[in-house]
Amino acid sequence: MSPTASKTDYYELLGVKRNAPLKEIRASYRKLARKYHPDLNPGDKSAEEKFKQIQEAYEVLSDPKKRQMYDRLGFYAENYQGGPPPGGPSGGQNVQFDFGGFDFGDMGGAPSFRDLFGQFFRGARAATHAAERPERGEDLEYQIRIGFWDAVRGGVRKITITRLAACQVCRGSGVAGGSTTTCPTCGGSGRVTQSAGAMRFQITCGACGGTGKAGSTCRACGGEGRVNEAQTIDVRIPAGVGTGSRVRVPGHGNAGKLGGPPGDLYIITEVEPHPYFERRGNDIHTIVPITVTEASLGTKIEVPTIDGRALLRIPPGTSSGQKFRLRGKGVTSARHPDHRGDQFVEVQVVVPRPIDERVRNLLRELEKLEPENPRRDLFERAGV
C-alpha cells in the first residue's frame, strides 16, 4: 500500500458513508468488484483501473487498524511513525509538527533539516512495504452462471481468472535476481535511523529501497513481488450448490507478499432455472395432471424426478391441488452430502370437455347418483 495521501476518498470509491459498518463496506465492494472486474470488461482500461482502486480502498477500510489510521490522517502507510503524511503537510487532516526548543542553525555537521525531510518523504513514497514480515495474499471472488443440472449433479468447470501471482523474475522477493540476502545496512527492516541534533528520524533504507533485501528493485514487478496474471483453472462444483453459494478454491487468491501464503478464491454461483423442475432449497416442486376418473377412483402414475421416473400412488377421492411427497427425491445438500431433500408433486385434475352428447349424458347421470353440493355451507362459513 503506497504511503502517499489518496487523491480519491476511499469511502466515495466504495459508495459508503464514513461511519459505515464492515458488513456494508464488504457488500458494496463485492458489488463494485463484479461490475468492474477485468474479465467482465475485456480491453477496458478505465474499468481495470477502477477495479484496482476499489481493491486498494477495500484493503484499507476492511482492516480496523488501517481504517483507523486512514480516518485519522487521510492516508495509510504500513511503516508510518508520525509526522505529516506524504504528499502534503496534513493530507487533508489536522496533523502538525512542533519543533519548539530546537536550534536548526547548527547541527554540527549532521545532515541539514531540509535534507532529512527530503529523504523522509522520498523514502515514504519509495517504500510501498518494508520486509518486516510476510503477509497472506488477499482472497478473491468470482461469479459464474451454471446450468440446473450442473448444480444438481455437480461437475468440473473451467474458468479464467485474473490474480496477482508471484513475480517469476524475482521469485516474489521484489528484489532483482530474487535475492534472499538480508540488507546489511538496515538489517532487513527496510528502514534506518538518522539523527539531526536532538532529533531522530526513521527513513527508508536507501541501500535496499525498503525491501530489506540486498540488491536493486525488480523492474518486472516494481518491487511489489507480484504481477497481474490471467490463469485458467478447473473448479470442482459440488452437487447441491444453489444461487449465492460460495465454493472455496484454496490457494488461488492473490499471491502473498514477501513470500507469504496465497489467499483463496471463492466462486459465487448463479443457477439457471429449469423449465419443469422448480427448486426451493433442496426440495423439488412439480405439477402433474390427472383425469377425473383417476382422481375419483385412485390409481398409480409415473412422475418425472431428477433421478428419472418414479411411481406415485393417487388415492381415491383426490382433489385438484393436493400435494404428495416423494421422500429423498430432492437435491443433495452441498453441506451434508449424505442428506437429500424431497420432491413435492401437486396434482391438477383435468376436467374433460363435454363435446360428445354421450359424455354429457354420463355426466348428468353421475350428478343424479352423486347429488352432493360442494358449496352447501359456503355462505355459512363466509358469514354473509
Side-chain angles (χ1 to χ4, degrees), residues 116-240:
L116 278 173
F117 266 75
Q119 291 181 32
F120 178 84
F121 292 118
R122 284 196 300 272
R125 292 188 179 93
T128 58
H129 59 269
E132 295 179 353
R133 66 182 186 276
E135 290 186 19
R136 181 181 181 274
E138 301 85 1
D139 292 335
L140 297 178
E141 288 188 352
Y142 191 89
Q143 187 169 12
I144 62 173
R145 186 176 176 88
I146 60 177
F148 175 85
W149 293 113
D150 289 333
V152 169
R153 297 168 179 167
V156 177
R157 182 74 175 270
K158 191 180 293 292
I159 64 172
T160 299
I161 61 171
T162 301
R163 60 185 290 265
L164 289 174
C167 176
Q168 297 300 313
V169 177
C170 65
R171 299 194 294 276
S173 68
V175 180
S179 174
T180 57
T181 305
T182 300
C183 174
T185 304
C186 63
S189 68
R191 305 185 69 78
V192 294
T193 301
Q194 286 197 5
S195 300
M199 294 186 299
R200 292 167 63 85
F201 293 87
Q202 279 219 342
I203 64 174
T204 301
C205 176
C208 65
T211 64
K213 305 294 183 182
S216 57
T217 300
C218 175
R219 294 184 178 181
C221 63
E224 174 68 17
R226 306 184 299 176
V227 292
N228 273 318
E229 183 176 281
Q231 292 185 351
T232 300
I233 61 174
D234 290 328
V235 177
R236 188 184 70 83
I237 305 297

Side-chain angles (χ1 to χ4, degrees), residues 313-331:
R313 179 181 174 273
I314 305 295
T318 295
S319 302
S320 187
Q322 192 168 338
K323 293 183 179 181
F324 299 91
R325 174 184 290 185
L326 296 175
R327 296 186 181 276
K329 291 295 184 181
V331 180

Side-chain angles (χ1 to χ4, degrees), residues 25-335:
I25 292 174
R26 184 182 295 114
S28 179
Y29 163 72
R30 290 175 178 173
K31 180 180 179 181
L32 293 171
R34 285 194 292 268
K35 180 179 179 181
Y36 293 103
H37 198 285
D39 289 350
L40 301 180
N41 301 273
D44 190 339
K45 295 297 183 182
S46 61
E48 182 178 350
E49 183 61 30
K50 187 77 171 180
F51 180 75
K52 292 179 180 178
Q53 293 176 356
I54 292 168
Q55 281 192 313
E56 179 180 322
Y58 179 70
E59 184 180 342
V60 171
L61 299 186
S62 62
D63 186 296
K65 292 184 179 179
K66 295 180 181 180
R67 183 179 180 181
Q68 183 181 19
M69 181 177 183
Y70 179 79
D71 290 343
R72 184 166 57 90
L73 301 178
F75 77 103
Y76 171 72
E78 295 184 14
N79 300 293
Y80 179 69
Q81 298 185 2
S90 64
Q93 306 291 329
N94 186 21
V95 182
Q96 300 179 351
F97 275 95
D98 181 8
F99 295 107
F102 286 97
D103 181 8
F104 299 114
D106 181 12
M107 292 191 172
S112 70
F113 183 73
R114 177 178 298 178
D115 290 342
L116 278 173
F117 266 75
Q119 291 181 32
F120 178 84
F121 292 118
R122 284 196 300 272
R125 292 188 179 93
T128 58
H129 59 269
E132 295 179 353
R133 66 182 186 276
E135 290 186 19
R136 181 181 181 274
E138 301 85 1
D139 292 335
L140 297 178
E141 288 188 352
Y142 191 89
Q143 187 169 12
I144 62 173
R145 186 176 176 88
I146 60 177
F148 175 85
W149 293 113
D150 289 333
V152 169
R153 297 168 179 167
V156 177
R157 182 74 175 270
K158 191 180 293 292
I159 64 172
T160 299
I161 61 171
T162 301
R163 60 185 290 265
L164 289 174
C167 176
Q168 297 300 313
V169 177
C170 65
R171 299 194 294 276
S173 68
V175 180
S179 174
T180 57
T181 305
T182 300
C183 174
T185 304
C186 63
S189 68
R191 305 185 69 78
V192 294
T193 301
Q194 286 197 5
S195 300
M199 294 186 299
R200 292 167 63 85
F201 293 87
Q202 279 219 342
I203 64 174
T204 301
C205 176
C208 65
T211 64
K213 305 294 183 182
S216 57
T217 300
C218 175
R219 294 184 178 181
C221 63
E224 174 68 17
R226 306 184 299 176
V227 292
N228 273 318
E229 183 176 281
Q231 292 185 351
T232 300
I233 61 174
D234 290 328
V235 177
R236 188 184 70 83
I237 305 297
V241 298
T243 295
S245 293
R246 286 163 58 91
V247 180
R248 177 172 171 262
V249 186
H252 282 80
N254 284 338
K257 297 179 180 179
L258 304 174
D264 297 330
L265 170 67
Y266 288 91
I267 304 298
I268 313 299
T269 56
E270 180 182 355
V271 181
E272 297 174 352
H274 191 274
Y276 178 71
F277 295 110
E278 180 186 355
R279 181 177 174 183
R280 302 178 191 174
N282 290 329
D283 295 329
I284 295 291
H285 291 254
T286 57
I287 297 176
V288 175
I290 60 174
T291 66
V292 173
T293 305
E294 290 173 329
S296 301
L297 303 179
T299 186
K300 291 182 179 180
I301 62 173
E302 284 188 330
V303 296
T305 72
I306 59 176
D307 298 323
R309 300 186 180 194
L311 200 62
L312 176 64
R313 179 181 174 273
I314 305 295
T318 295
S319 302
S320 187
Q322 192 168 338
K323 293 183 179 181
F324 299 91
R325 174 184 290 185
L326 296 175
R327 296 186 181 276
K329 291 295 184 181
V331 180
T332 300
S333 171
R335 293 186 176 182

